[in-house]
Amino acid sequence: MQQFRLGDTGPAVAEISALLAGLGLGNGTASSTFDEATDQAVREFQQRRGLSVDGIVGPETYAALAAARWRLGDRLLSLATRPYVGDDVAALQERLLELGFDAGRADGVFGRRTEAALRGLQREYGLVPDGTCGPATLRALRQLGRHVTGGRPQVLRESETLHRSGAALPGKVVVLDPGHGGADRGATGHGLDEAAVVEDLAARLEGRLTAVGVRTLLTRGADNRPSDAERAEFANDAGADVVLSLHVDRAASPRCQGVASYHFGAGRGTTSTIGEKLASLVQREVVARTDLLDCRVHEKTWEILRLTRMPAVRLELGHLSHPGDAARLADPAFRDTVAEAVLVAIQRLYLPADLDPPTGVMRLPDFAGR
Ligand SMILES: [Zn+2]
């Protein structure tokens, strides 16, 4: 690209002049002559942008000018073969970074990392995670703008949503997802099979949730086995507030034992914050109320966690390959205890921090209806 400076004329100068005018620089009118006003405007632009201030429009200044004309919302942004470049992309990246999503450097180029961060935001916000910054995402960003400053903003934003949705359980929609089903029995061991255990656990939990006013839906009956993508779609269609997927593990070694909880996450910046919180509450309540070994909370990208648009947690409740875990799981009283623990975890998710009781002590009927 050639350089343009004071005294030059022509269509390229007219374009430069129009770009400057669009930014409110110069005398505000486009001219096909690079005059004193244009020179002044270019210098001002260069100064603002941290470019060398020489009044000359070379490739670097021209690229910056071309990028500067885009304001966030002027066009749809997504990952493209020829990447979108512009101040709108930089503004989006800055917002994503502020909100805790790792968009890398705010370099104004819409690359893979920007897309991943954008999907993370969309997922957290309950939008379709399509990686395209369109009207719905812009609306979400505007809403976030009002409530969110500093700290871990996505936590604040989600807490705000939780707060608005009310601290009580009545009216919530919970989708319970007993794993496997039909001919697929899942893990087996010590006379038990996973599909039956989690079905029974789901029924115990369903009864408790329904009793406190929660609309409870199950992803499957005794005889069918939807795919995980179908289960996630079911939860999305139902507008569920949370999804709880119930599984029991097994391992090659009979010494493996314990309970673990999983939430969506694929590394820094794309974790489901509320999913993580619910997973941690479920894990802590189950561990506090039973003697299962604590195998902790982990991030996974399983479909039931990734394709659901609400916080989703998958519980792996003990190992059927372990004699002790299997004996516990065979006991109906133990399953009741677990159902109680999960119910309390779901309730605690919706309690404001000042009402949140210590782990292991809350009895739900005390809180129902408050
Ligand atoms: Zn399973």
Side-chain angles (χ1 to χ4, degrees):
M1 180 190 160
Q2 61 182 117
Q3 297 190 333
F4 298 93
R5 66 185 76 210
L6 191 60
D8 286 340
T9 57
V13 172
E15 193 199 337
I16 289 163
S17 169
L19 286 170
L20 289 163
L23 298 171
L25 294 168
N27 56 19
T29 52
S31 146
S32 56
T33 303
F34 204 121
D35 55 16
E36 284 291 345
T38 312
D39 180 80
Q40 207 47 50
V42 169
R43 286 170 192 273
E44 203 181 326
F45 176 75
Q46 289 173 327
Q47 187 152 32
R48 274 195 206 170
R49 291 285 160 148
L51 300 165
S52 310
V53 182
D54 55 9
I56 297 169
V57 179
E60 197 181 5
T61 297
Y62 182 80
L65 266 176
R69 88 189 112 141
W70 297 108
R71 297 285 167 81
L72 191 55
D74 285 352
R75 54 183 177 171
L76 287 180
L77 295 172
S78 60
L79 191 63
T81 325
R82 227 181 122 217
Y84 284 101
V85 178
D87 281 20
D88 52 349
V89 177
L92 173 64
Q93 290 168 326
E94 276 163 19
R95 282 304 276 143
L96 288 167
L97 287 165
E98 279 168 22
L99 294 166
F101 299 94
D102 185 10
R105 272 186 317 127
D107 58 3
V109 181
F110 196 112
R112 291 199 178 282
R113 204 155 162 189
T114 307
E115 189 199 34
L118 177 58
R119 282 185 200 272
L121 168 81
Q122 290 172 325
R123 192 171 192 290
E124 290 284 297
Y125 212 86
L127 302 171
V128 179
D130 59 3
T132 296
C133 183
T137 303
L138 291 167
R139 206 174 311 120
L141 286 171
R142 273 198 303 276
Q143 285 165 356
L144 286 165
R146 285 202 299 276
H147 298 296
V148 172
T149 49
R152 288 190 67 195
Q154 80 273 32
V155 176
L156 299 179
R157 204 281 305 164
E158 291 189 340
S159 304
E160 171 75 19
T161 309
L162 284 181
H163 185 68
R164 268 188 275 117
S165 75
L169 281 179
K172 296 287 183 307
V173 180
V174 171
V175 165
L176 297 177
D177 172 42
H180 312 276
D184 170 14
R185 304 316 293 167
T188 54
H190 297 91
L192 295 172
D193 74 65
E194 178 182 4
V197 170
V198 294
E199 237 172 83
D200 177 75
L201 183 63
R204 287 170 201 271
L205 197 46
E206 182 188 18
R208 282 172 169 73
L209 286 165
T210 307
V212 295
V214 172
R215 214 172 129 230
T216 311
L217 303 167
L218 272 74
T219 53
R220 70 166 177 88
D223 303 326
N224 58 332
R225 184 202 176 278
S227 70
D228 278 357
E230 286 164 345
R231 294 168 197 243
E233 196 184 336
F234 173 84
N236 291 341
D237 289 347
D241 290 292
V242 297
V243 174
L244 195 73
S245 188
L246 303 169
H247 286 254
V248 176
D249 221 340
R250 71 160 290 125
S253 162
R255 292 168 61 195
C256 283
Q257 58 169 310
V259 54
S261 298
Y262 299 87
H263 62 89
F264 175 80
R268 202 183 144 258
T270 50
T271 292
S272 166
T273 311
I274 294 299
E276 182 180 0
K277 185 176 178 196
L278 180 59
S280 137
L281 286 168
V282 168
Q283 181 71 14
R284 280 151 54 196
E285 287 292 344
V286 171
V287 167
R289 289 161 193 258
T290 67
D291 54 355
L292 286 174
L293 184 71
D294 184 358
C295 300
R296 320 267 288 266
V297 172
H298 305 276
E299 292 185 4
K300 287 283 177 191
T301 55
W302 293 326
E303 284 186 332
I304 191 71
L305 305 179
R306 178 165 52 84
L307 301 178
T308 41
R309 275 150 58 186
M310 63 292 302
V313 169
R314 175 161 152 178
L315 180 65
E316 290 280 356
L317 184 72
H319 286 70
L320 285 181
S321 41
H322 182 267
D325 280 6
R328 291 175 178 98
L329 286 162
D331 177 6
F334 175 84
R335 297 179 190 178
D336 269 339
T337 304
V338 171
E340 185 78 16
V342 173
L343 177 61
V344 166
I346 293 172
Q347 172 71 83
R348 285 184 66 187
L349 182 68
Y350 292 104
L351 284 177
D354 54 342
L355 277 183
D356 193 24
T359 298
V361 301
M362 182 171 160
R363 291 283 167 268
L364 212 89
D366 302 347
F367 271 91
R370 273 200 192 176

